[in-house]
Amino acid sequence: MPTVTLIEAVTMAMDHEMSVDEDVVVLGEDVGRNGGVFRATDGLQEKHGEDRVIDTPLAEAMIAGLSVGMAAQGMKPIAELQFMGFMFPAFNQIVTGAARLRNRTRGRLSVPLVVRMPYGGGIHAPEHHSESTEALFAHIPGLKVVTPSSPARAYGLLLAAIRDPDPVIFLEPKRIYRMVKQEIEDDGEAYPLETCFIDREGDDVTLVSWGATMHETLLAADELADEGISCEVIDIATIAPLDMPTIFDSVEKTGRVVIVQEAAKTGGVGSEIAAEISEHRLMSLIAPIGRVAGYDAIMPLAKMERHYMPQVVRITDEVKKVMDYS
Amino acid sequence: MPTVASFEVSYLQYLDENSQAVNDLPDFAKDTNLLTGLYKDMLFARTLDYRAMSLQRMGKMGTYPGTLGQEAVGVGSGSCLGDDDVLVPYYRGSNTMIQHGVKPHELLLYWGGDERGSDFKNPRVRQDFPIAVPIATQCLHAAGVATAMKARGQTGRAVLTEIGEGGTSEGEFYEALNVAGVWNLPLVCVINNNQWAISVPAEMQTACETFAQKGIAAGIESLQVDGNDVIAVKDAVGRAMEKARSGGGPTLIEAICYRLCDHTTADDASRYDDPEAREEAWAKEPLKRLGDYLVNLGAVTKKQLEEFEVEAKEAVEKEVEIYFDTILNNPQPVGAMFDYLYAELPEKTKAQREEVIARDLRAREGG
Ligand SMILES: Cc1ncc(C[n+]2csc(CCOP(=O)(O)OP(=O)(O)O)c2C)c(N)n1
Ligand SMILES: [Mg+2]
C-alpha cells in the first residue's frame, strides 16, 4: 500500500479515475507540464496525455465556463483553480452556470464537474493566497462543497466528487497538504459524500470542524482529555449539503458544542451548523453553542496571520467556557 | 470583396542585440547622463532582486516575484511617470513603482508580509494603487482612475498600468481595453511579455501573432517594443503618456523580453523552461544592451560600470536595513488587522479587536 500525503492522495484519485473513465479530464493553469503549482497533477500529463491534462490560457471564468460546456456533453472535467483567492472570475460561471443547469433544463442537462482549489492560511503565502471562503459556495443551492482533512479522505472524497452527477467544489486545505502521511490502497474505493466522520468519541462536548483546523481541533481534544474533559470530534468533510443527523446524535449525547473554523466568523459555515442545532436540538443543549473562528477581518499578510488563525488555546478556552454549564 | 479595415502592428527598437543604434535615437537618448541614470536604475533593480531572493532563501522574506531580464520594461515605463500621473501596477511592477517614487523598503515590507508596505509614504505616489495580485483586476482600476480624470476634465494627467502577457487572456483585461477605447480614456497599458505565465509559454495563451494586436480589437493604438531596449520602452511609453495627457486617448504597448528568473521564489523554472531559449535571452538582456552601448560610445568606462555595482549594493543594503529595522523594532500591533477595515470599526467587531490584543498580550507574558 502506498504511503501518501494529502496532496499525493489527490493526485492518486485523479490518476485512478482518469485510468478507468476516459470522460475524466483535468484542466487549469499550469496543471500540465508543471504538474500544478503545488504538484497536485504531477505526472498526470505524462501518463494521460496533453488532450486529457490541459494547460489552459490564464482565465478562470474561461476554465469554469468551459467546464460547464464540457460537462453538459457528458465529459467529467476536473478544473483546478490555482488558489481560492483567484476563483472570483470563475464564481459567476459556477453560480450562474454550473449550479443551475440541471434545474434550468428540468434535468435535461447536468454538470458532473469538480472544481478543485487549495484554500486556507498558515503557509506565509502572499496576499490573496490564504483566505477561506467556503461559505460563499455553501450558500449556493445546486453545489456540493467538500473538504478533506486527511490523505485517506482526500482520496475517497475526491473519487466520490468526480463520480457525483452534480458540480462539486473540492476545497483542499493546503496547510496540511504535506503534514501527515497515511497508507492508502489505490483501489478506487470512494467515501460517501454528505456524511460526517466521527474522529473521536467523547461524552462532554462535541467539537465540529473541517479541513485544516481538524488538526488544531484534535490537538485541543488531546489537551482537554488530559484535564479530564472528554471531547467528541466530528469532521464534517462535506460542507454542503450538511449531514446534520450525525451532529444531532452527538449533541444529544454531550449537550455542548464548539464549532471551529478558520474562515471569518460572520456568515460562516459554523453559523449554519449552530442555527441547525438551535432549531432542532435546543432542548438537548446544556450550554450556549461556542464558535472559534477567524476574526471578521481581512486575512492579514504573513507577519500577522498566526494571530488570525484559530490556535489550539482558543479552542481549549472556548471548550472550558461551555464546560462551565451543567 | 472590399477590405473594410486593415491593421498593422509596428515594432520599435533603437539598440539592437549588439548594442548598435538601428534608428535615429529620440532626443532624450542623446543625453548620455540620462542614459547612465537609466542604467543605474536597472542595475539597482537587479541588485534589489538578487538581495530579495537571498533574503527569501534565508527565511527573511516571503515569496518574491523577480524581475531579472525585465528591468528595462519597468524602469523604462516607470521613468515616464510624472507627479500628477497615477500608476496601477501588477505584482511584477517593482521597478515601475520605484521609478515613480515608491520606496524599495516598502516593497520589501509588502513581500515580507507587512501591510504597511502598501502605505506609500512618498507624496508623489500617494494616489498610486498597491500591487495587484489578482491578475487583470488592475486594468479595470486603472481605467476607472482614468475615467475620473476625464470626468473632471483634468488634462495633463494620465494613468499607467501593466500586466503580464498571460494575464491578457483574462476577461477583465479585454473589458478594460474596450472601455478605454470607447471612452477615449487617458490610459496606457504596458504588457510585460516575458514569454511565460509561470510554466505556460506565451504561444499557449493566444493564436495572435502579437499581444499588441489585442488592443486593435478595442480600437486602441497598439504597438510592440523591444523590451530589452530601455530607450525603446521609454520612448514608446513616454509618447503614449503624453498623448493620453493631452486628450489623445489610450495606447497598448507590448514589451518583449524574457523572464530570466523563476516565476517567483516558490517556482522552479527548470521543470519547464527551455535552456537554449534562456541562453539566447541572456545575450539580449537589457543591462548589457545599454552598458555596452554607453561603453562603446565612451560615455562610461568598464571600470565605472563596476563602481556602479558597488553603489547599487550599498543603496540596496540601506533599504534592507530599513526593512529589518521596521519588522524587528517596530512591528505592527496585532490590533492593526482591524484598524483599516472601515473608516470606523463596527461596534460588533470591536470585541474581536480587543480579544486579539488580549490574547497577544497573554501569549507574550506567558512566554
Ligand atoms: C486571477 C489570478 N489567477 C491566477 C493567479 C496565479 N498566478 C500568479 S502569476 C500567474 C502567471 C502570470 O503570468 P503573466 O500574466 O504572463 O505575468 P508574469 O508573472 O509572467 O509577469 C498566475 C497564473 C493570480 N495571481 N490571479
Ligand atoms: Mg509572463
Side-chain angles (χ1 to χ4, degrees), chain B residues 16-308:
Chain B
D16 72 4
E17 288 172 49
N18 304 313
S19 301
Q20 302 297 316
V22 289
N23 271 313
D24 274 346
L25 294 191
D27 280 346
F28 74 81
K30 291 173 185 149
D31 177 351
T32 53
N33 284 333
L34 187 148
L35 291 187
T36 307
L38 289 172
Y39 180 86
K40 286 183 179 176
D41 288 349
M42 293 196 291
L43 184 60
F44 178 88
R46 186 165 294 184
T47 312
L48 179 69
D49 236 61
Y50 281 132
R51 189 69 173 101
M53 305 279 163
S54 86
L55 288 172
Q56 194 278 337
R57 278 193 295 273
M58 293 186 293
K60 294 176 175 176
M61 169 65 47
T63 306
Y64 196 87
T67 63
L68 192 63
Q70 305 146 80
E71 295 90 348
V73 179
V75 169
S77 43
S79 72
C80 302
L81 284 161
D83 289 348
D84 297 329
D85 297 326
V86 173
L87 173 64
V88 186
Y90 89 131
Y91 52 84
R92 212 182 292 285
S94 325
N95 302 325
T96 329
M97 296 168 79
I98 292 170
Q99 282 294 310
H100 200 205
V102 172
K103 301 294 178 203
H105 66 260
E106 293 175 327
L107 290 163
L108 294 175
L109 273 177
Y110 175 79
W111 292 111
D114 187 321
E115 286 83 354
R116 289 173 297 181
S118 293
D119 180 15
F120 312 138
K121 293 299 184 203
N122 184 345
R124 194 171 191 243
V125 292
R126 289 296 284 178
Q127 293 189 28
D128 284 7
F129 265 55
I131 283 168
V133 171
I135 290 174
T137 55
Q138 74 277 13
C139 301
L140 282 168
H141 302 155
V145 174
T147 302
M149 289 175 180
K150 185 154 190 246
R152 291 171 170 168
Q154 296 168 339
T155 50
R157 300 186 74 195
V159 188
L160 177 66
T161 191
E162 47 187 5
I163 188 167
E165 87 294 336
T168 69
S169 298
E170 292 275 11
E172 282 165 274
F173 168 75
Y174 292 99
E175 293 171 32
L177 289 192
N178 183 61
V179 73
V182 206
W183 291 353
N184 201 40
L185 296 177
L187 176 70
V188 177
C189 178
V190 174
I191 301 172
N192 172 3
N193 180 357
N194 61 11
Q195 312 304 326
W196 295 96
I198 309 186
S199 71
V200 180
E203 62 270 18
M204 284 172 68
Q205 295 290 345
T206 180
C208 292
E209 299 94 322
T210 70
F211 285 87
Q213 74 204 65
K214 294 187 174 199
I216 290 174
I220 292 178
E221 181 190 348
S222 303
L223 71 155
Q224 236 182 20
V225 301
D226 182 342
N228 287 314
D229 174 6
V230 72
I231 300 175
V233 175
K234 184 173 168 61
D235 183 49
V237 176
R239 280 190 283 144
M241 288 296 287
E242 206 33 59
K243 180 184 86 174
R245 287 184 199 110
S246 56
T251 311
L252 178 67
I253 297 165
E254 173 190 359
I256 299 176
C257 60
Y258 199 94
R259 197 192 79 209
L260 289 169
C261 50
D262 292 337
H263 168 66
T264 64
T265 46
D267 177 49
D268 173 9
S270 70
R271 287 175 69 91
Y272 52 80
D273 196 2
D274 170 2
E276 255 172 57
R278 190 182 272 229
E279 198 165 307
E280 267 176 45
W282 265 111
K284 301 180 186 172
E285 63 93 0
L287 266 88
K288 185 174 167 329
R289 178 89 50 104
L290 183 60
D292 286 357
Y293 174 74
L294 289 170
V295 171
N296 293 344
L297 211 62
V300 294
T301 61
K302 287 215 154 126
K303 188 164 169 293
Q304 271 177 308
L305 293 187
E306 281 163 26
E307 286 163 14
F308 295 163

Side-chain angles (χ1 to χ4, degrees), chain A residues 30 60 127 266 296 301 303, chain B residues 110 112 115 170 199 348 352:
Chain A
D30 305 283
E60 294 74 16
E127 197 175 4
T266 296
D296 290 323
L301 295 185
K303 286 261 181 296
Chain B
Y110 175 79
E115 286 83 354
E170 292 275 11
S199 71
K348 181 170 185 262
Q352 292 189 6

Side-chain angles (χ1 to χ4, degrees), chain A residues 34-292:
Chain A
N34 197 32
V37 291
F38 285 101
R39 310 285 176 256
T41 53
D42 203 10
L44 293 184
Q45 190 180 63
E46 263 168 19
K47 185 163 167 190
H48 300 285
E50 290 183 14
D51 295 337
R52 294 185 67 202
V53 182
I54 308 163
D55 275 323
T56 65
L58 201 175
E60 294 74 16
M62 178 213 66
I63 292 168
L66 278 183
S67 298
V68 172
M70 291 163 79
Q73 285 290 308
M75 294 184 84
K76 294 173 189 161
I78 307 174
E80 174 175 305
L81 298 180
Q82 209 156 73
F83 286 87
M84 186 188 246
F86 308 135
M87 70 86 174
F88 294 98
F91 198 54
N92 179 28
Q93 287 290 346
I94 292 171
V95 176
T96 64
R100 300 169 71 105
L101 199 60
R102 179 188 294 282
N103 184 65
R104 289 172 59 211
T105 61
R106 302 286 91 171
R108 181 171 57 82
L109 296 174
S110 61
V111 185
L113 157 71
V114 178
V115 184
R116 301 177 32 246
M117 65 193 86
Y119 83 111
I123 62 162
H124 295 317
E127 197 175 4
H128 303 286
H129 289 69
S130 301
E131 284 72 9
S132 300
T133 51
E134 64 271 22
L136 298 181
F137 293 113
H139 189 64
I140 306 301
L143 297 180
K144 294 183 181 176
V145 185
V146 177
T147 183
S149 67
S150 71
R153 274 173 212 166
Y155 181 75
L157 292 170
L158 183 51
L159 284 176
I162 301 167
R163 292 171 194 166
D164 196 275
D166 288 307
V168 179
I169 308 298
F170 194 81
L171 305 176
E172 299 171 6
K174 60 180 170 301
R175 178 158 61 92
I176 59 168
Y177 258 161
R178 295 183 169 83
M179 191 181 257
V180 287
K181 288 192 170 202
Q182 256 177 336
E183 277 196 356
I184 303 176
E185 190 86 71
D186 189 7
D187 56 4
E189 197 78 45
Y191 281 7
L193 300 181
E194 301 173 45
T195 306
C196 293
F197 297 87
I198 300 177
D199 275 359
R200 186 169 309 178
E201 297 198 6
D203 305 315
D204 296 327
V205 54
T206 302
L207 305 186
V208 181
S209 193
W210 54 93
T213 45
M214 280 302 297
H215 177 69
E216 283 71 33
T217 305
L218 285 163
L219 286 177
D222 286 342
E223 271 188 30
L224 291 160
D226 292 343
E227 300 179 34
I229 301 172
S230 158
C231 301
E232 179 136 309
V233 182
I234 297 179
D235 170 14
I236 63 171
T238 300
I239 291 171
L242 273 168
D243 163 23
M244 286 310 299
T246 302
I247 298 174
F248 291 156
D249 288 350
S250 179
V251 173
E252 282 173 21
K253 183 167 70 170
T254 63
R256 301 182 188 89
V257 189
V258 171
I259 304 161
V260 182
Q261 71 181 31
E262 189 175 310
K265 189 171 187 179
T266 296
V269 173
S271 318
E272 176 61 23
I273 297 170
E276 283 277 344
I277 296 169
S278 37
E279 266 179 33
H280 300 287
R281 287 297 182 278
L282 187 63
M283 296 311 165
S284 303
L285 289 173
I286 50 183
I289 298 167
R291 280 185 291 162
V292 177

